[in-house]
Amino acid sequence: MLRYGLIGLAVLLIAPVVVAALYRIEAVRPISTLMLRDTVLLRHWERDWVEFDAIAPVLVQSVMMSEDGQFCAHNGVDWGALNAVIIDALDGSPTRGASTITMQTAKNLFLWSSRSFLRKGLEVPLAVWIDLVLPKKRIMEIYLNIAEWGDGIYGIEAASWTYFGRPASELTARQAALLAVTLPNPYKRDPLSPGPRLSRLANVILGRAASSGAYVRCLY
């Protein structure tokens, strides 16, 4: 029993490493663990895969500047931000998020959504591996096609049609900013009915996206 248990654990640890490398193949369209959960529970969900070049650049810029401004500069993990969070946690201070887009991609593809030190411990090496085996453009494409934008709404194309009735290629700068700031909590943030705080945040991202040229150099 112990031997079989160890073999099963080894498979669970090795499988994401192998599968992540296979995602380099453009024809492969990954799904997230949340999509698998919804499928198992017979819940309806939507996702229309869209290639990176068919997504409005302003949406990509907005998501980057909202979620991970150093996406092009790090190796999957923003070590400075992560170290700051660890120090805050050890001091008992409130912690802020330090997940990069690559770390969120690793979590969405292979891990669970609830927060824990175990999940974060698995997320970090997976993010480094994903950054090593996949081009930045492919990582961003996968992330934007598996990110959750509401109950049963996955990927930017489904989100764009659901909230604004248009494809992701035709999003305006304002719509892109609203969708970007919805990502951290899509169940409580509504891009169609943003409150004053969400509107202010979207305005900030709108400005950052407009001047993000140097930050998105690995994508365009």
Side-chain angles (χ1 to χ4, degrees), residues 62-63 66-68 97 99 104 107 113 115 143 147-150 177-189 197-198 201 205:
S62 297
V63 169
S66 177
E67 297 283 291
D68 182 8
S99 289
Q104 292 179 60
K107 178 199 72 176
S113 57
R115 292 185 178 184
Y143 176 68
E148 187 181 23
W149 256 288
L178 285 168
L179 286 172
V181 298
T182 300
L183 273 174
N185 199 335
Y187 286 89
K188 292 186 177 180
R189 297 181 176 185
R197 183 175 178 277
L198 196 62
L201 187 56
I205 297 306

Side-chain angles (χ1 to χ4, degrees), residues 131-158:
D131 189 82
L132 181 66
V133 298
L134 299 181
K136 292 282 190 181
K137 190 173 179 179
R138 177 63 169 166
I139 295 171
M140 181 63 77
E141 181 183 70
I142 292 174
Y143 176 68
L144 292 176
N145 277 285
I146 63 174
E148 187 181 23
W149 256 288
D151 190 14
I153 303 169
Y154 297 99
I156 186 56
E157 187 74 357

Side-chain angles (χ1 to χ4, degrees), residues 22-196:
L22 293 176
Y23 287 158
R24 190 180 182 93
I25 302 171
E26 292 289 333
V28 176
R29 297 179 172 182
I31 63 173
S32 69
T33 53
L34 289 179
M35 294 180 200
L36 286 173
R37 177 206 65 187
D38 287 351
T39 300
V40 170
L41 296 177
L42 303 179
R43 295 176 181 171
H44 173 74
W45 58 272
E46 298 178 38
R47 195 277 295 274
D48 298 313
W49 185 277
V50 60
E51 295 183 359
F52 180 85
D53 292 335
I55 300 172
V58 70
L59 183 279
V60 178
Q61 295 161 353
S62 297
V63 169
M64 261 194 61
M65 301 314 293
S66 177
E67 297 283 291
D68 182 8
Q70 298 302 315
F71 177 72
C72 286
H74 60 61
N75 67 339
V77 178
D78 187 336
W79 296 104
L82 186 61
N83 287 336
V85 168
I86 293 172
I87 292 171
D88 287 343
L90 293 175
D91 289 342
S93 304
T95 58
R96 49 195 172 84
S99 289
T100 63
I101 284 174
T102 314
M103 291 170 68
Q104 292 179 60
T105 302
K107 178 199 72 176
N108 291 343
L109 287 174
F110 303 115
L111 304 173
W112 57 95
S113 57
S114 59
R115 292 185 178 184
S116 68
F117 286 110
L118 175 59
R119 195 204 77 188
K120 190 64 68 176
L122 295 171
E123 199 175 290
V124 169
L126 276 172
V128 173
W129 174 247
I130 288 172
D131 189 82
L132 181 66
V133 298
L134 299 181
K136 292 282 190 181
K137 190 173 179 179
R138 177 63 169 166
I139 295 171
M140 181 63 77
E141 181 183 70
I142 292 174
Y143 176 68
L144 292 176
N145 277 285
I146 63 174
E148 187 181 23
W149 256 288
D151 190 14
I153 303 169
Y154 297 99
I156 186 56
E157 187 74 357
S160 184
W161 278 108
T162 298
Y163 293 114
F164 298 115
R166 60 178 60 193
S169 60
E170 297 179 5
L171 287 167
T172 67
R174 176 68 177 174
Q175 291 167 346
L178 285 168
L179 286 172
V181 298
T182 300
L183 273 174
N185 199 335
Y187 286 89
K188 292 186 177 180
R189 297 181 176 185
D190 186 351
L192 278 181
S193 302

